[in-house]
Amino acid sequence: MKAKTRTDLLKGAQRFEDLLKRDLKDPVFRQAFEEFYLEAEVAERLYKLRGALRMTQKQLASRARMQQNAVSRIEKGENSLTLRTVQKVATALGYRVVLDFIPLRGSGIQR
């Protein structure tokens, strides 16, 4: 089987973006995607921070006073994250969490 080139991968990414753009027009899909996306983004950031610090899941779990399998589930996006858990893990990594609220486009809500 022929290995995919960077161009092939970019074409695939473009097709995905086109499909996602289309699907996001459906309000039910959009809400589900946005709820999942935030948790997935947080999980990915925690995973990348741990990797950049060359820390094992076991080491992070020990610092955060949790089980290693809990860290694994967080990184895989298998757990619904609470702010408390995110803060606990971030602190164990030597970081603090900063939260921001950004108005939804077209929400019609005045500040």
Side-chain angles (χ1 to χ4, degrees):
M1 180 164 64
K2 182 181 172 186
K4 290 192 176 195
T5 66
R6 186 173 196 282
T7 303
D8 291 336
L9 293 173
L10 290 174
K11 285 179 186 175
Q14 186 60 48
R15 283 192 298 270
F16 173 77
E17 287 177 12
D18 291 341
L19 290 172
L20 182 59
K21 191 181 290 187
R22 180 201 68 200
D23 290 344
L24 286 172
K25 291 176 184 174
D26 175 2
V28 174
F29 177 86
R30 181 181 210 79
Q31 182 177 356
F33 175 82
E34 288 174 352
E35 289 171 5
F36 171 77
Y37 180 78
L38 180 60
E39 286 188 14
E41 185 176 352
V42 170
E44 181 181 13
R45 286 186 183 194
L46 293 173
Y47 170 79
K48 285 182 176 180
L49 283 173
R50 182 181 63 77
L53 296 168
R54 298 182 185 273
M55 189 182 296
T56 65
Q57 287 182 348
K58 188 174 181 176
Q59 290 168 324
L60 175 56
S62 176
R63 285 185 182 197
R65 296 192 172 131
M66 58 192 343
Q67 298 293 316
Q68 180 272 328
N69 63 355
V71 173
S72 176
R73 286 193 309 272
I74 289 168
E75 291 181 354
K76 290 179 183 177
E78 294 176 355
N79 277 2
S80 264
L81 294 172
T82 64
L83 287 175
R84 181 174 291 141
T85 300
V86 173
Q87 185 176 18
K88 184 177 179 179
V89 174
T91 299
L93 290 166
Y95 284 80
R96 68 184 180 94
V97 176
V98 177
L99 181 66
D100 194 8
F101 290 89
I102 301 169
L104 297 172
R105 282 184 258 142
S107 67
I109 297 174
Q110 300 296 315
R111 290 190 251 164

